[in-house]
Amino acid sequence: MCGAGGPRRGRSAPAPPGGGAAAGSRRPHQRAPPPPPHVRARRPEVFGPDGARVAGDVQTKGHPTDPVTVVDTETEELIRELLADLRPGDPILGEEGGGSLAGGAPDTIYWVVDPIDGTVNFLYGIPGYAVSVAAVRGGRPVAGAVVDVARASTYSAGLGLGAVREDADGTVEQLRCTPVESMSLALVATGFAYGTHRRARQAALVAEVLPNIRDIRRFGAAALDLCLVASGRVDAYYEHGLNAWDWAAGALIAAEAGARLVLPPAINPGAAGDLVVAMAPGIADELTELLDRVGATDPIPDA
C-alpha cells in the first residue's frame, strides 16, 4: 500500500480564497492555532486522568448516545471568534452553534465548523478526534483543514492546490490515496449512526460488503476517516447520515489527494441519511457497483 509521499519541508498549507488563513493552516515554523491545543489541554482538565466526569460537562443531543461536551461548545466559540477577526462578516455553520449555507450571494464564503469530530472518542480518551474547518463557496468546499488533535497533525487542502499533512515537527507531506486496483484487497472504513433504525441498516450493509473486500475499519471520526483515505491509510470510506461539518474539509482533502467522491448537497441535513463515499480511483468503479448492488447508495433516514 502506498501512502503519503516523501517528507518535504517549507510548504505552507493552502490559504482560502479572498485572503486570510484557514483555521488550522499555518507555515511549518508558526505556532499551532489555538483551537486544537485548547481541545488537547481541556480534556484532562474536564475529565481528569481517570476519566471522571463533572456534572453538566457532558450533555446529549438528538440521541442518548450522541454526546456534546463543554469543550465542544468552548472550541466552537473560539473558532467563531477567530473567524470574526480574520474574516469579518462571513457566515458560519457550526455543529454546536448552528447557522446556514443558504441565502448568500453566489460568491459568499461560508465557514463550516466541527469543533470536535469524534466526540465519543474524546469522551473516552481514545486518540481519534479532530477539529475540522472548511471554507465553502457555491456549495462546494474550496479550502479546509482537519487537525488530528492527539497526534498534533494538520491535514489541509485548497481547491486545485493539492493536499498535505503537517506533523508536529514541521514535516510536510504531500498526500496521495493508494494505488489499489482490486476491491478484494481494499481496506474500507465506515461509521455508524446513533439512531437504532439507521444503525441496524448500516450493520446489515457491512455484512454484505465485508465478504467482498480485505476488511472493515471503524474509527469513529468522519473527518479523520476522509483524511485516512487521502493519506493512503485506508483505501475507501463510506457512511450514511453525515452533516456538512462532518465531511466538508475532509472531502476536499481526499479529493485533492486523488480520491473519487460521492457527496450529497452541502445543504442536506444528516437526518436525510445520504451516503458519503471517498475511494481510491483504482477501485472506485468496482466499489460503487458493489454499494449500489447491496442497496447502500439509497439514503437511510434517521427514523
Side-chain angles (χ1 to χ4, degrees), residues 1-263:
M1 179 179 292
C2 177
R8 301 188 302 130
R9 294 183 182 269
R11 172 171 175 170
S12 61
S25 63
R26 58 187 176 95
R27 295 188 182 277
H29 302 295
Q30 288 180 330
R31 181 174 296 176
H38 176 81
V39 174
R40 190 180 306 114
R42 285 287 283 144
R43 192 189 182 281
E45 292 175 356
V46 171
F47 299 112
D50 59 355
R53 301 169 192 173
V54 178
D57 282 343
V58 181
Q59 301 177 7
T60 60
K61 295 187 281 190
H63 298 279
T65 52
D66 184 7
V68 57
T69 74
V70 65
V71 187
D72 291 80
T73 53
E74 289 173 356
T75 304
E76 183 166 323
E77 290 170 3
L78 179 57
I79 294 170
R80 286 176 178 270
E81 291 172 3
L82 290 169
L83 288 172
D85 288 340
L86 295 169
R87 300 282 304 188
D90 284 1
I92 300 170
L93 170 65
E95 179 174 10
E96 311 307 338
S100 173
L101 294 178
D107 61 349
T108 297
I109 299 293
Y110 296 85
W111 294 91
V112 181
V113 176
D114 193 339
I116 303 180
D117 183 48
T119 299
V120 172
N121 287 346
F122 176 74
L123 185 65
Y124 279 83
I126 298 170
Y129 47 91
V131 178
S132 175
V133 179
V136 174
R137 180 173 58 195
R140 66 184 302 190
V142 294
V146 175
V147 180
D148 182 336
V149 176
R151 294 173 177 82
S153 295
T154 299
Y155 299 84
S156 61
L159 185 63
L161 299 175
V164 298
R165 184 184 69 242
E166 182 179 348
D167 294 325
D169 64 358
T171 299
V172 179
E173 297 189 11
Q174 187 79 28
L175 300 179
R176 296 301 299 174
C177 53
T178 67
V180 63
E181 294 185 346
S182 173
M183 186 175 65
S184 65
L185 299 178
L187 184 63
V188 179
T190 192
F192 300 104
Y194 296 106
T196 55
H197 165 76
R198 184 184 289 162
R199 181 174 291 196
R201 177 61 181 144
Q202 288 171 321
L205 289 172
V206 166
E208 296 190 69
V209 169
L210 186 56
N212 299 279
I213 62 175
R214 181 192 294 271
D215 209 347
I216 285 281
R217 292 292 182 270
R218 194 273 200 259
F219 298 109
L224 288 179
D225 286 326
L226 289 160
C227 291
L228 292 178
V229 175
S231 59
R233 291 174 176 171
V234 297
D235 300 301
Y237 161 70
Y238 76 93
E239 186 169 353
H240 294 83
L242 300 180
N243 289 284
W245 51 74
D246 297 308
W247 60 258
L252 178 64
I253 293 164
E256 288 295 317
R260 280 178 48 183
L261 292 126
V262 175
L263 298 172

